[in-house]
Amino acid sequence: MIHLLVFDVDGCLTDGRITYASDGQELKSFSVKDGLAIEAWSRLGGKVAIITGRNSSIVERRAKELNVAHVHQGVKNKVAILERILEEEHLAWENVAILGDDLNDQGMLTKAGWSFTPKDGAKQIRSLVNTVLTCKGGKGAAREMIELILENEGREKELEALWH
């Protein structure tokens, strides 16, 4: 059973583009549909982590909005960070589902109980994950991942019930 969802940010929770305004401010866009599903996962008792190689105040803000318990930015060794989270949460790799899209996610993806990549994930990653999603990064990939997990565990009605 999956208890922890782990997300990379750029290319998974966003479309992978980084826009800089003339004043140097960084801009990113997140899918509201992804956010609703991530929030629902937490409300259903699941844990959520963000592990990303870049640093961004925007990611910190989005994680706070979604009540993400574990937020790690500027990470070079994602496996080491995730192993610490697993120890803290008393979970095993088999209890983890990961959404990653590029080579720096490879180590985590190969250890996860269920590994996912968006439709537009790197070719090398698409060939090693359990599931290549039909949605692109930042365009509903996280939502699709969560719905597949809940469906696989016979829990899809729980998602709908949160809003009745």
Side-chain angles (χ1 to χ4, degrees):
M1 186 168 202
I2 300 298
H3 296 288
L4 173 67
L5 302 182
V6 178
F7 298 101
D8 175 43
V9 176
D10 296 313
C12 292
L13 295 180
T14 74
D15 65 6
R17 295 184 303 158
I18 300 167
T19 305
Y20 294 104
S22 60
D23 64 0
Q25 183 179 6
E26 182 179 312
L27 306 173
K28 294 178 186 277
S29 297
F30 297 90
S31 167
V32 171
K33 293 177 182 180
D34 286 345
L36 186 133
I38 291 168
E39 184 181 0
W41 177 264
S42 295
R43 287 177 60 192
L44 292 172
K47 306 284 184 189
V48 180
I50 289 175
I51 303 175
T52 181
R54 298 189 72 252
N55 286 299
S56 171
S57 61
I58 297 167
V59 171
E60 195 69 39
R61 178 180 174 182
R62 185 63 172 152
K64 186 175 182 179
E65 288 175 352
L66 298 176
N67 296 309
V68 174
H70 304 279
V71 182
H72 299 274
Q73 298 192 72
V75 175
K76 300 295 181 226
N77 186 343
K78 293 184 177 188
V79 170
I81 294 294
L82 185 48
E83 285 176 341
R84 285 197 309 223
I85 294 169
L86 292 175
E87 186 176 322
E88 182 181 323
E89 294 290 347
H90 307 289
L91 295 171
W93 281 98
E94 64 200 35
N95 304 121
V96 178
I98 299 174
L99 179 60
D101 71 314
D102 219 329
L103 298 175
N104 61 338
D105 301 315
Q106 188 172 348
M108 292 190 306
L109 291 166
T110 58
K111 291 177 163 274
W114 197 348
S115 57
F116 296 83
T117 197
K119 178 180 182 176
D120 56 347
K123 179 181 176 183
Q124 300 91 326
I125 300 305
R126 290 193 314 263
S127 67
L128 70 83
V129 296
N130 302 112
T131 304
V132 176
L133 299 165
T134 62
C135 293
K136 293 182 177 182
K139 306 286 186 185
R143 171 79 174 253
E144 182 181 356
M145 170 188 172
I146 292 166
E147 289 177 346
L148 286 171
I149 292 167
L150 291 173
E151 181 180 313
N152 184 65
E153 295 180 353
R155 302 175 58 202
E156 63 270 20
K157 295 293 183 199
E158 292 178 39
L159 180 64
E160 297 170 28
L162 289 174
W163 285 272
H164 290 284

